Amino acid sequence: MVHYIRFLRTPQTHVGKKTKTVDIAAVVALTTDLGDAYYAQDIDLVVEIVEANRPHAVLHSHTLPWQASSRALKFTVHCPSTYTSRSARLHVTTKATQNAFSLFTVPNILDVWSPVFVLSDKQRTEPVVERDLLLPNKSHIRMWEETGDSIARHVWDAGLGFLMYFAQALSPSSATGMSRLTSLMRSSKARRLKVLELGAGCGIVGVAFAQLVKCDMLLTDLEDAQEILASNLRCASPMAGSTLRCEVLDWSTGVEDSCNAKYDLVLVSDCIYNPDSSLHLVETLRQLATRTPGLLILVGFKRRHQADTIFFERMQQTNFAIVEQVNIPLPHTLTDHDADVPTGEFYTYCLQPTLARPG
Ligand SMILES: C[S@@+](CC[C@H](N)C(=O)[O-])C[C@H]1O[C@@H](n2cnc3c(N)ncnc32)[C@H](O)[C@@H]1O
C-alpha cells in the first residue's frame, strides 16, 4: 500500500512568552488512500518548519517516532521566538521519502505540506494540504487536497500509478503494454495532442500529462471537484505549448450533442468503483469514441471491489476492445498483514468499427 501522511489536525501556533519559543502543534496519521489502514511499522517522521519565502530555509527540524499501527501522532515543535514574524510551512516527511523525491520516483509514503502561516498567527491553518512530487523532466507536480473525507478532493493510488506509467512510456526503453501511448506521446513533437480526462478529482493525472507532453488538456469532473481542480491548475507548470482547462462533465448527462471536439486520448483514473456510475462512464466513452474513430482510451485503477468487473463487461458489450494491458506494482511497504503487492492495472481501449450487416 502507498501510505499518505495526513493532518488530522492542521498546524496551530502559540507564542510562549516565558519559554521564548513559538510552539506549533498538529496531529498527523499515516493512512492509505481509503483511510482504512494505518502504517504498520515503526518509522521516524521528520517534521520541518520551512520558511515560506525564498530561500525556503529549514528554520527547525525535529524527528518524531511513529509507532507501528498507531492511529494518530500528536506533536508540538518549538521554534526560537526570533522567527515570530516569519511566514512558514509545516512539512512532515520521512528520510526515505526525501530520497525518493531526489530520484524522481513515487515514494512508499507521501509527505505533506501545510499552507503558509505566520508564526505569530494563532489561527489553525485551513483544512487543505499540498503534495509535491518530481516528474522525470524535473518539473514539480503540486497538488492541493482537502484534509477531510471526500472522493474527489484528494489523491488516489491509481493517480500515482499513472505518474509511473507516463514515466515508463516516455523512457527510451518503454515497457511492453504501453506502445500505443508511447507513439502518441512521440507524435506530440509534431502536433499538439488533444486530451480529455474524465473524473479528474484533484487533477494529478491530467496535470502530470500536460507537464510531460505538449497537449491541450481538458480536465473534467462533477461540480464538487471544480474548486480544488481550478486551484491545482493555477499551480501547474504545463510544458511549453501545453494548455490546461477544467470544466464540469457528469457521465450521467454525457457529452453534449453540440460538442464536436475531437480528442486523441481520454484518461480515466480510479473511476470504476461504482457499478451505477460505471455504466454512465462507459456510455460517455462510447459517445466520445463514436465521434473520433481511433480514439485511444487509457483506463487505470487499483482493484478494490468485485463490482469493478461491471465496467469491463459493459466495455466489452459496447464493442470496445482492449488493445494493450500492463500492470504496474505500486510503491508499498510489505508487512505481515499486507502480503500482496498493490498493483495499478492499465487498459488501453479502442472502439471497434461496427461491421456492416450483410444484405
Ligand atoms: C476515486 S476518485 C479518482 C480521482 C482521480 N481521477 C484520481 O485518480 O486521483 C473518482 C472520481 O470520479 C468522479 N466521479 C464520480 N462520478 C462521476 C460522474 N457521474 N461524472 C463525473 N465524475 C464523476 C468523482 O467526483 C471523483 O473525482
Side-chain angles (χ1 to χ4, degrees), residues 95-107 134-136 138 167:
K95 280 256 155 42
T97 305
Q98 288 171 322
N99 289 340
F101 185 83
S102 50
L103 295 170
F104 310 104
T105 55
V106 178
L134 264 191
L135 296 177
K138 301 191 180 168

Side-chain angles (χ1 to χ4, degrees), residues 23-93:
D23 305 331
I24 299 139
V27 181
V28 292
L30 258 84
T31 67
T32 57
D33 57 357
L34 273 177
D36 58 350
Y38 296 85
Y39 194 72
Q41 292 188 2
D42 290 345
I43 190 165
D44 280 341
L45 297 183
V46 180
V47 179
E48 296 176 333
I49 309 293
V50 182
E51 197 162 23
N53 305 319
R54 285 182 187 277
H56 305 305
V58 176
L59 301 178
H60 182 78
S61 177
H62 196 84
T63 303
L64 290 168
W66 168 269
Q67 283 174 355
S69 298
S70 315
R71 294 184 150 252
L73 175 64
K74 190 174 171 183
F75 62 83
T76 304
V77 286
H78 310 282
C79 252
S81 61
T82 42
Y83 297 138
T84 325
S85 58
R86 310 255 183 121
S87 293
R89 302 181 78 183
L90 186 67
H91 179 213
V92 188
T93 185

Side-chain angles (χ1 to χ4, degrees), residues 220-278:
T220 65
D221 204 300
L222 300 172
E223 187 60 53
D224 201 31
Q226 296 302 312
E227 194 180 331
I228 197 104
L229 203 42
S231 43
N232 284 329
L233 295 204
R234 283 193 292 274
C235 300
S237 322
M239 79 153 18
S242 278
T243 67
L244 277 162
R245 270 188 321 121
C246 62
E247 68 182 39
V248 173
L249 196 165
D250 182 344
W251 315 325
S252 62
T253 328
V255 184
E256 285 180 16
D257 292 341
S258 58
C259 163
N260 54 11
K262 299 219 182 310
Y263 296 100
D264 298 290
L265 174 69
V266 175
L267 299 169
V268 185
S269 168
D270 236 336
C271 288
I272 63 170
Y273 54 91
N274 178 323
D276 294 335
S277 61
S278 267

Side-chain angles (χ1 to χ4, degrees), residues 89-142:
R89 302 181 78 183
L90 186 67
H91 179 213
V92 188
T93 185
T94 74
K95 280 256 155 42
T97 305
Q98 288 171 322
N99 289 340
F101 185 83
S102 50
L103 295 170
F104 310 104
T105 55
V106 178
N108 298 0
I109 298 178
L110 248 73
D111 54 338
V112 72
W113 288 86
S114 78
V116 174
F117 57 96
V118 181
L119 285 171
S120 58
D121 191 352
K122 292 187 187 135
Q123 295 287 322
R124 190 172 290 293
T125 62
E126 293 286 306
V128 288
V129 294
E130 195 184 44
R131 308 281 178 194
D132 183 1
L133 292 152
L134 264 191
L135 296 177
N137 64 353
K138 301 191 180 168
S139 71
H140 283 259
I141 175 132
R142 297 200 165 92

